[in-house]
Amino acid sequence: MEQSFDTKRVIIGPEGFKKVVDISVPKRVNLPTGYIETDKIAQISPGGSFFANDVEYYVFPCDIFDYVMHFLKRHTQIVYPKDGAYILMRLDIHPGKRVGEAGTGSGAFTIYLSMAVGPEGKVYTYEQREEFYKMAVKNIKNFSKFDNVVMHNKSIVEGIEEKDLDAFFLDIREPEEAISAVREALKPAGHLGILVPTTNQVAETLTALQAHRFYVSEVVEIMMRQYKPVPERLRPDDRMIGHTAYMIFARKIL
């Protein structure tokens, strides 16, 4: 039997059309120029194509980017890939690491972390709101390749159960209130990454980091502009994702 992450396919068509479907669920998939059944998609080799009313569509295995951006169910804002990849490198996250996270939200970044630490690592994630927690459980189970995520339905302000963590990532409304608990959970020199949407939150968080003996290495915002992939008229897209969040990176000092 295929694992759940292996049953997702990405259909790509004209004028930027993209849809992620689960081929294990029998259904009709509507397209701009027709439709196709999921059992027919399952018969198409990875990288293959099919036609609907003389228009060609391509079929690819679903990767983590397309799952998060085009399939994952969410009630919350997610960590965008342009920020997520930078956070993983900045927190020095690689196979075998033990990493903490709060809040889980819809579980998008939890999946990134799970993939990054691999089967020998662990991700411990905290989400206070029960409805977000339940959705995240489903989203993570639906795509994770490794059984390496431990989920808690509680606020980390009440305390973090794990100790000597290599890194911690905070994406909560008032991160300054959680700095003390995170410090207790991190090993010496452990990495901390914090994501906030506004500048006043950055200032409040920096004050808390200084008070709790963290070395702040960077405050950064990442912009990204995409281009239309047409050789004859190569130019930027008409619209771009501007501000998504500010990121603060720090390390625990003795």
Side-chain angles (χ1 to χ4, degrees), residues 68-85:
V68 167
M69 298 301 292
H70 300 285
F71 192 86
L72 179 138
K73 294 179 175 59
R74 66 187 76 167
H75 285 318
T76 63
Q77 180 65 277
I78 65 169
V79 176
Y80 274 82
K82 72 178 180 66
D83 300 325

Side-chain angles (χ1 to χ4, degrees), residues 24-82:
S24 68
V25 179
K27 64 178 293 186
R28 173 180 290 186
V29 180
N30 292 319
L31 307 167
T33 61
Y35 65 89
I36 186 173
E37 304 291 340
T38 51
D39 61 340
K40 298 294 185 183
I41 300 172
Q43 298 172 18
I44 300 172
S45 299
S49 65
F50 66 92
F51 286 85
N53 291 322
D54 297 325
V55 175
E56 188 174 18
Y57 293 83
Y58 307 103
V59 178
F60 297 101
C62 182
D63 57 26
I64 187 171
F65 177 90
D66 285 321
Y67 176 76
V68 167
M69 298 301 292
H70 300 285
F71 192 86
L72 179 138
K73 294 179 175 59
R74 66 187 76 167
H75 285 318
T76 63
Q77 180 65 277
I78 65 169
V79 176
Y80 274 82
K82 72 178 180 66

Side-chain angles (χ1 to χ4, degrees), residues 126 154 156 158-163 165 168 178 181-183 185:
Y126 289 75
K154 61 179 286 190
I156 63 167
E158 301 170 7
I160 299 172
E161 298 181 19
E162 297 78 24
K163 304 299 179 186
L165 297 177
F168 209 100
V182 171
R183 179 177 174 82

